[in-house]
Amino acid sequence: MIEIKHLAKKFAVENPKKLSEQERKDPRLQGRFFHSVKDVSFSCKQGEVLGLLGPNGAGKTTTLRILSTALKADAGQVMINGHNVLENPLIARKKIGFLSGTTGLYGRLTGRENIAYFGQLHGLTAGEIASRIDELANLLDMQSFLDRRAENFSTGMKQKVSIARAVIHQPELVVLDEPTTGLDIMATATVMEFIQRLKSQGTPVIFSTHHLDEVQELCDRVTVIDQGETRFDDTVEAFSALADGKLHQSFLSVLNQSQVKGVA
């Protein structure tokens, strides 16, 4: 069980004059601080897939980076099976597999070497690493390029290796930040199948996306964030019911209600 409770994160604005007109109008800008995440809460049970939705700049990536301990929250809790991982980042990194928006692969290393390196960081033995790489290569269809240098990879190849690297240690929770962005149809299908497999194994998955068809196909729950706050957190069925099964309209409905509350 993963529970995120009342997360908050603000950033100092170094030079307010360099802000865009849209940023100046954002109600999260207060004095010399921008409150990227103000109050975000949601939960995800074992074997569930949660889709994290929101417009650009809503606070999704900041939320996921806090969850992965790449950023330190100003307030709130992240509980994974009873452990407050924000209080112990080392435990968090053992329990969570995180894929950020940028792959960050080492270009001079092969795909296999990139994955193996992270296996070593997680304390896996050479035998465990070799076995996991073979398994992941089959699941993610990486055999044809696994032993090539990463600097020559396509976007899809990089994403597959990055996902394998994130789950090499068989984490208790997998967090994916827009995992299919920039991928072709075949690579997207492979990633979607991999998420389905994690779900079938009982591993909870939280992923952000702008593709509502992915939400419809994969997700059990939906959380919508807007202007740094949770605006919706419920099942896919409840989300779909907001607009007679039309997820796009459901999403717009949640945002419209958010804006009305903001004006009020």
Side-chain angles (χ1 to χ4, degrees):
M1 177 73 171
I2 294 84
E3 295 180 281
I4 289 84
K5 299 179 180 179
H6 306 298
L7 284 188
K9 178 64 179 178
K10 65 182 179 182
F11 298 93
V13 179
E14 299 296 333
N15 190 346
K17 293 182 180 179
K18 291 186 177 181
L19 295 176
S20 68
E21 186 67 22
Q22 182 178 359
E23 289 170 329
R24 291 193 188 99
K25 292 180 179 179
D26 195 310
R28 289 175 290 174
L29 181 63
Q30 299 174 9
R32 296 188 65 86
F33 290 95
F34 184 78
H35 296 256
S36 178
V37 173
K38 295 177 66 178
D39 186 3
V40 169
S41 300
F42 56 86
S43 63
C44 186
K45 297 178 182 178
Q46 298 302 116
E48 285 187 337
V49 176
L50 181 144
L52 189 62
L53 305 178
N56 289 332
K60 301 187 301 298
T61 293
T62 300
T63 296
L64 295 184
R65 292 186 69 193
I66 292 172
L67 181 53
S68 73
T69 73
L71 285 176
K72 185 176 181 180
D74 296 323
Q77 289 184 328
V78 175
M79 307 294 293
I80 299 181
N81 296 328
H83 297 279
N84 188 346
V85 297
L86 297 186
E87 294 179 351
N88 193 332
L90 289 179
I91 289 180
R93 288 160 197 163
K94 291 179 180 179
K95 292 180 176 291
I96 298 172
F98 178 62
L99 175 72
S100 67
T102 55
T103 57
L105 298 178
Y106 296 101
R108 294 182 64 83
L109 298 181
T110 66
R112 186 185 302 275
E113 289 168 342
N114 269 282
I115 301 168
Y117 176 59
F118 273 71
Q120 292 168 6
L121 292 178
H122 283 292
L124 275 63
T125 67
E128 289 171 334
I129 291 171
S131 177
R132 278 292 285 162
I133 290 176
D134 285 344
E135 178 186 1
L136 292 167
N138 289 326
L139 291 175
L140 291 166
D141 192 21
M142 298 189 296
Q143 299 93 335
S144 62
F145 60 86
L146 191 60
D147 292 303
R148 289 164 48 189
R149 280 189 176 184
E151 62 189 1
N152 299 316
F153 284 176
S154 67
T155 300
M157 293 173 184
K158 289 178 180 178
Q159 193 74 323
K160 289 181 180 183
V161 171
S162 296
I163 291 173
R165 186 179 64 177
V167 300
I168 183 69
H169 59 303
Q170 296 182 301
E172 295 180 28
L173 167 68
V174 175
V175 179
L176 308 172
D177 190 3
E178 298 187 13
T180 62
T181 297
L183 303 189
D184 62 25
I185 294 174
M186 295 302 294
T188 296
T190 300
V191 172
M192 299 274 280
E193 289 170 6
F194 185 70
I195 294 174
Q196 287 280 24
R197 184 177 180 87
L198 289 171
K199 178 179 177 178
S200 68
Q201 293 173 341
T203 303
V205 178
I206 297 171
F207 78 100
S208 64
T209 183
H210 291 291
H211 303 293
L212 293 175
D213 57 329
E214 295 177 0
V215 172
Q216 193 161 34
E217 181 175 342
L218 292 174
C219 293
D220 302 285
R221 297 189 62 83
V222 173
T223 298
V224 180
I225 297 175
D226 188 31
Q227 294 185 341
E229 297 184 22
T230 299
R231 304 299 188 182
F232 181 90
D233 179 41
D234 208 329
T235 64
V236 169
E237 289 77 14
F239 183 63
S240 178
L242 295 176
D244 296 323
K246 300 175 182 177
L247 296 192
H248 180 74
Q249 291 300 322
S250 295
F251 178 66
L252 293 178
S253 173
V254 171
L255 295 187
N256 288 336
Q257 291 176 12
S258 168
Q259 292 171 4
V260 169
K261 290 180 181 178
V263 172

